[in-house]
Amino acid sequence: MLTFTIRRLVLAVPTLLFISLAIFLLLELAPGDPMAQVPLTVPPEVKEKMREALGLGEPMHIRFWKWIVQFFWIEPQVLIDHIFGTSFSAGDLRVISWQTRSPVMDIVVQRIPQTLWVVGTAYVVATIIAIPIGIYSAYRQYSWFDQLGTFVSMIGFSVPPFFSGVLVIVIFSVNLGWFPSIYDTTLVVNSWDSFVTQLKQMVMPVMVLALQITAQTSRFMRASMLDNLNQDYVRTARAKGLGEYTVVMVHVLRNSMIPVVTVIALGVPAIFGGAIITEQVFKVNGIGQLLITALQANDLPMVQTLTFIFAVLIVLFNLIADVLYGILDPRIRYD
């Protein structure tokens, strides 16, 4: 397993380089000019100097190489300097946002906690809810519980977050007044009252995201459990006199988790993308809102860095899913 993990990590390097090149070329071909928001009163020669200061006058391959060096070499040094107090990156030019004129990674680090508060909580809550629902729905197939779970899952699949988000705002914020409609990102949790306030403002965005995740995960869990409940080894285990709890929760569940692990692992990067819409609806000042703002401002370094971070998450969680396969199923060996 260790050899396989190291091999996959090595292969991930050219994969990520190719992805970064594809992102860079797509953004280069995209319409829009970073100088479009500059006031019309600014003289053309000043605009040209501003373009040169942003590096837009350099050839395409030079700009791509500079971004590669800044992201893969200088930014890790900045992290090391921050942790150990060294000065490896002193004087080196980092990836700079065209919109704010500040380092991109500094802005990302500021926004990540807000996204993790909402997305991370939603994913944990949804997984905790979805797996038991899927197990019981499969064990009690076609019961009223299974029918209700299917109905709720279809709603979760069908309703987009921009609709469900507005709907819960109208119901729970406007009509009932239970929760705030706008997420306060400036709130500092340093007391019990502030913690309760944080929980209240998280309820609605977490509810919207968790509905989608629960619908998908519970359906996969149910289908996988149904497939394994009819296998020969289940009948053999029951014939040997094993208890029903042991048969279902030990033998069947472990084999059923293999395809579900893929859904859960690969759903983590996807939910970051889905959070873009949810953050816009609830005004969460996170990664999704940052990406939308950067796209509107033609801030190519910011957009390129954020989309590449999403790509890194996809590659990373693909590897995590493959490693978990070998842990859950002893028959799967990569070495």
Side-chain angles (χ1 to χ4, degrees), residues 58-117:
E58 298 177 338
M60 186 185 304
H61 64 280
I62 298 297
R63 284 185 283 125
F64 176 68
W65 173 251
K66 283 186 175 180
W67 182 84
I68 288 291
V69 172
Q70 290 168 347
F71 189 86
F72 286 98
W73 180 252
I74 297 178
E75 292 297 342
Q77 291 181 13
V78 173
L79 179 61
I80 293 173
D81 292 345
H82 178 74
I83 295 175
F84 299 103
T86 55
S87 57
F88 293 120
S89 63
D92 293 333
L93 181 63
R94 302 171 63 185
V95 183
I96 301 298
S97 168
W98 292 349
Q99 184 181 11
T100 63
R101 303 298 190 271
S102 58
V104 168
M105 292 306 298
D106 288 354
I107 304 174
V108 172
V109 169
Q110 293 172 5
R111 300 292 187 95
I112 279 181
Q114 304 299 335
T115 298
L116 289 181
W117 263 108

Side-chain angles (χ1 to χ4, degrees), residues 316-329:
L316 175 63
F317 281 96
N318 263 290
L319 174 60
I320 292 175
D322 289 341
V323 172
L324 289 177
Y325 285 164
I327 297 175
L328 292 171
D329 191 347

Side-chain angles (χ1 to χ4, degrees), residues 271-329:
I271 199 60
F272 273 90
I276 295 174
I277 301 173
T278 308
E279 288 182 3
Q280 286 293 104
V281 173
F282 294 99
K283 307 302 179 186
V284 180
N285 200 20
I287 297 295
Q289 193 269 348
L290 180 63
L291 179 60
I292 295 296
T293 305
L295 285 169
Q296 293 172 345
N298 292 313
D299 189 353
L300 298 188
M302 180 68 74
V303 176
Q304 184 175 355
T305 302
L306 289 176
T307 50
F308 184 73
I309 290 174
F310 291 156
V312 171
L313 289 175
I314 294 173
V315 173
L316 175 63
F317 281 96
N318 263 290
L319 174 60
I320 292 175
D322 289 341
V323 172
L324 289 177
Y325 285 164
I327 297 175
L328 292 171
D329 191 347

